[in-house]
Amino acid sequence: GIFYMETDESDRAKEVFSKLSELFPEEYSVWLFLSFMQEHLGFPADAEKSLNKALEINETDQAYFHLGVVKDQLGEAEESYAAFKKAIELNPNHAPAKNYLGYLWVEADINLQEAKELIKSALELEPDNGAYLDSLGWLYFRLSRYEEALKYLKMADELVDDPVIKEHLGDTYIKLDDIPSALEAYTSALSLDTDSAEIKEKIQKYTN
């Protein structure tokens, strides 16, 4: 099953772990890996069920983190927050959980001071993580501190070639009245996410 995961044969991996869950229903790792496959294949509701089975056997920070991800995918915000908080409670050094929860709060425009503490704590653990730098930059954007936002978003963009980061960068340039740089960032974002109607709309809006 792990071999199929590592060779990106997700359907076959799912078959193996589904069979294992029938043969060894009390084995924590089987349910955990099955949930990974279900999430990867786009079945978050099934992944949630598998994670709940895993957590009945062993409450780990890893399982709670992935439950938080799945709950976010299902649009269950409060349950997602609670799962990430539990992961952090079990492992205070769980940087991905800290960043994910902080970013969700930034996106929802709530608990921004707590979000800042979480994201900065994640960056202390992984200072060169582009996703975490993007989270901090986006936080400063929400706080209307655009120069600081630009600083961290540019750092993130140097580390990760990601359309979301580039779109954040473009939004920040707009706030700083730098339309040419914004359009360059949006165009770069669109090259990575060619189906994004939102990015296309922004390019059209700011193109003379």
Side-chain angles (χ1 to χ4, degrees), residues 8-131:
D8 203 28
E9 298 178 74
S10 300
D11 287 317
R12 298 185 75 177
K14 183 186 173 188
E15 288 176 14
V16 171
F17 286 114
S18 294
K19 184 63 176 177
L20 282 168
S21 69
E22 296 172 10
L23 295 171
F24 304 101
E26 300 304 316
E27 180 59 46
Y28 161 83
S29 61
V30 168
W31 292 107
L32 186 67
F33 282 118
L34 178 57
S35 75
F36 292 165
M37 290 299 92
Q38 290 165 329
E39 179 192 342
H40 180 69
L41 293 170
F43 300 101
D46 292 337
E48 178 191 8
K49 292 176 184 176
S50 295
L51 285 165
N52 284 331
K53 286 281 190 181
L55 286 165
E56 286 174 9
I57 299 165
N58 189 9
E59 292 195 26
T60 67
D61 59 310
Q62 187 180 27
Y64 273 113
F65 171 74
H66 286 285
L67 182 62
V69 173
V70 166
K71 287 290 190 180
D72 176 42
Q73 293 173 350
L74 291 169
E76 300 174 13
E78 293 300 327
E79 291 85 350
S80 179
Y81 304 159
F84 287 126
K85 286 180 180 178
K86 186 65 178 179
I88 295 165
E89 178 186 322
L90 291 170
N91 179 6
N93 291 323
H94 200 303
K98 289 184 171 187
N99 176 71
Y100 207 126
L101 178 56
Y103 185 78
L104 287 180
W105 281 343
V106 171
E107 280 286 270
D109 206 13
I110 60 173
N111 306 330
L112 294 185
Q113 187 55 44
E114 286 182 79
K116 182 179 178 181
E117 292 171 5
L118 285 170
I119 295 165
K120 283 196 165 185
S121 179
L123 275 167
E124 286 176 6
L125 294 163
E126 298 179 28
D128 296 321
N129 190 303

Side-chain angles (χ1 to χ4, degrees), residues 130-198:
Y132 303 173
L133 288 164
D134 171 63
S135 296
L136 187 58
W138 198 233
L139 169 72
Y140 284 127
F141 180 93
R142 291 291 197 198
L143 295 171
S144 300
R145 293 162 60 175
Y146 302 120
E147 291 290 352
E148 288 170 281
L150 183 63
K151 171 187 172 182
Y152 289 105
L153 291 170
K154 287 174 75 173
M155 290 169 65
D157 189 46
E158 289 175 3
L159 291 167
V160 184
D161 204 25
D162 181 87
V164 174
I165 295 174
K166 293 180 186 299
E167 186 177 3
H168 288 168
L169 198 55
D171 292 347
T172 304
Y173 278 125
I174 292 295
K175 293 294 185 180
L176 293 169
D177 295 320
D178 186 348
I179 305 301
S181 293
L183 286 171
E184 183 180 344
Y186 289 145
T187 301
S188 185
L190 189 62
S191 70
L192 297 171
D193 184 6
T194 56
D195 295 325
S196 175
E198 184 177 1

